[in-house]
């Protein structure tokens, strides 16, 4: 089903720099979702031992810190990344819960 221009605009709307879409479109082509980009930047599910969220952050425990790509996390929309030992907090803002839930659907 074709979407109207307004529907495409609303689906891809950015509010204060935060993507509000599950599937992003660039130059008319579907690209990886924000959740998938974050998961990849964390080294995939094979690298994660736990994933939780709070109001503004996604919290993860991981096996190998060399697989954490902080630049890719920022490119995916993270405002900040804090890594301590085998734990990381990714500051995503108020949509952290939605993103974490979408990451969980990618298992």
């Amino acid at each position: 089903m074709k979407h109207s221009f307004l529907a495409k605009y609303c689906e891809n709307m950015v509010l204060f720099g935060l993507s509000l879409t599950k599937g992003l479109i660039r130059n008319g082509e579907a690209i990886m979702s924000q959740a998938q980009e974050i998961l990849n930047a964390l080294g995939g599910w094979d690298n994660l031992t736990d994933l939780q969220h709070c109001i503004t952050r996604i919290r993860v425990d991981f096996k190998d810190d060399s697989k954490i790509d902080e630049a890719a996390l920022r490119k995916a929309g993270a405002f900040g990344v804090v890594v301590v030992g085998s734990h990381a907090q990714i500051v995503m803002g108020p949509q952290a819960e939605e993103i974490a839930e979408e990451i969980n659907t990618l298992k």
Side-chain angles (χ1 to χ4, degrees):
M1 182 168 128
K2 287 279 192 184
H3 294 290
S4 70
F5 171 77
L6 182 58
K8 278 193 174 188
Y9 173 79
C10 291
E11 285 176 4
N12 296 297
M13 186 171 60
V14 174
L15 180 62
F16 304 113
L18 307 174
S19 171
L20 300 179
T21 64
K22 291 184 185 270
L24 302 178
I25 296 175
R26 287 192 191 134
N27 299 324
E29 293 187 27
I31 60 167
M32 205 179 316
S33 73
Q34 184 179 32
Q36 185 66 58
E37 289 180 7
I38 291 168
L39 181 59
N40 291 350
L42 293 170
W45 277 112
D46 290 340
N47 193 40
L48 300 182
T49 58
D50 190 36
L51 183 139
Q52 297 180 11
H53 62 82
C54 67
I55 294 172
T56 61
R57 297 169 188 239
I58 298 171
R59 296 183 172 140
V60 296
D61 295 337
F62 53 85
K63 299 172 189 172
D64 182 355
D65 66 342
S66 71
K67 294 182 179 180
I68 305 298
D69 186 343
E70 292 186 34
L73 288 167
R74 285 189 172 82
K75 185 177 178 187
F79 296 111
V81 180
V82 178
V83 178
V84 178
S86 62
H87 311 285
Q89 293 190 27
I90 301 100
V91 182
M92 296 303 300
Q95 78 276 22
E97 178 179 0
E98 179 182 329
I99 295 167
E101 288 173 358
E102 186 177 347
I103 291 170
N104 279 317
T105 67
L106 299 173
K107 281 186 182 181

